[in-house]
Amino acid sequence: MANKIIRTPVGKAQWAHLTVADTKWNPDGEYKVNLVLEADKAQDLMKQLDRIQAENYAKAKEENPKKAAKVIDKAPYEEEMNDDGTETGNIVFKFKMKARGQTRNGEIFERRPTLVDGKGKPITNRDFKVGNGSDLAVAFETVPYFIPATNIASVALRMKAVQIVNLLEFGGGETFGFDSYESGFDASSQNTNNSEEKADDFESAAEDHDF
């Protein structure tokens, strides 16, 4: 049974690799983005993840009784910090998706996140890079885990789809869109051909295709 897809509020992008996979640390590549939310906008999402993590933490202790006292309860989000080490008041959520891998049956797969624009239309031409400060919402699934070697129990946030509400292109390029969804980033300025990909709304664009 597929995991439930969760959708974030709109926040600010950090260190996004959404159109081209990052291969610096993993030769198979990873799509990823940090999403920064103001603390008040993040509360509902934090509570939802806290409930999932609480169950995962209890399960890790139950299934590893000899290590129960040492299991580390690591939240699946973190406070954003200034360069001087003080808190900004924002919360950072980190999302990833493997670009290439192997199934349990030994089959090689390749995938990339579904991208839709601020008007809910699929983005077919990905010849751009999402820069810091772009307005995004992320559809994702949770993957609870426990690492015996480090005793860490936490929840990974596996990206499935991203809505680019307002785009700031990496490298100081043109800014697309304004402050509202109605006047947000329109992928028709990027798309050069038709797509069979459907995006009647953002949630449908986040349909689960995981292995």
Side-chain angles (χ1 to χ4, degrees):
M1 181 177 180
N3 290 341
K4 177 183 177 182
I5 297 295
I6 300 172
R7 184 189 183 281
T8 73
V10 175
K12 298 294 184 181
Q14 275 187 348
W15 316 120
H17 290 267
L18 297 175
T19 56
V20 179
D22 181 12
T23 58
K24 184 175 181 179
W25 305 112
N26 183 345
D28 286 333
E30 285 184 327
Y31 293 99
K32 56 188 178 182
V33 67
N34 292 354
L35 187 71
V36 182
L37 295 175
E38 296 176 358
D40 58 341
K41 291 179 62 177
Q43 290 304 308
D44 288 345
L45 181 57
M46 291 167 65
K47 290 177 182 178
Q48 193 169 2
L49 294 177
D50 285 344
R51 288 193 294 269
I52 297 171
Q53 169 57 7
E55 294 178 1
N56 180 50
Y57 177 61
K59 182 179 178 180
K61 294 176 66 176
E62 180 181 353
E63 294 182 351
N64 299 272
K66 294 182 179 179
K67 291 187 173 185
K70 298 181 180 180
V71 174
I72 299 171
D73 184 4
K74 182 180 179 182
Y77 52 81
E78 59 189 48
E79 296 275 357
E80 184 186 41
M81 308 299 290
N82 289 308
D83 292 339
D84 61 3
T86 59
E87 297 178 357
T88 67
N90 297 327
I91 308 297
V92 181
F93 301 84
K94 298 182 179 182
F95 302 92
K96 292 184 179 181
M97 170 191 276
K98 290 182 179 179
R100 189 173 186 272
Q102 189 172 7
T103 68
R104 294 175 181 175
N105 296 327
E107 298 179 357
I108 302 298
F109 67 84
E110 294 185 1
R111 60 188 174 188
R112 62 183 185 177
T114 296
L115 300 180
V116 300
D117 66 13
K119 300 179 184 299
K121 297 182 297 185
I123 297 173
T124 58
N125 184 350
R126 304 191 182 206
D127 189 21
F128 64 94
K129 292 183 179 180
V130 177
N132 289 349
S134 296
D135 293 328
L136 308 178
V138 180
F140 69 100
E141 63 181 6
T142 58
V143 184
Y145 66 87
F146 172 66
I147 304 175
T150 60
N151 295 321
I152 292 176
S154 191
V155 178
L157 310 181
R158 183 178 294 166
M159 177 169 55
K160 307 298 288 185
V162 177
Q163 183 175 29
I164 304 175
V165 178
N166 286 308
L167 173 66
L168 298 178
E169 282 202 76
F170 177 78
E174 181 182 358
T175 299
F176 293 81
F178 302 96
D179 293 332
S180 68
Y181 284 83
E182 289 75 15
S183 57
F185 169 49
D186 184 349
S188 62
S189 63
Q190 298 282 347
N191 296 342
T192 57
N193 50 45
N194 294 328
S195 170
E196 294 180 356
E197 188 175 17
K198 295 181 179 179
D200 294 334
D201 55 47
F202 182 48
E203 291 186 1
S204 67
E207 183 180 0
D208 184 17
H209 295 289
D210 193 28
F211 293 92

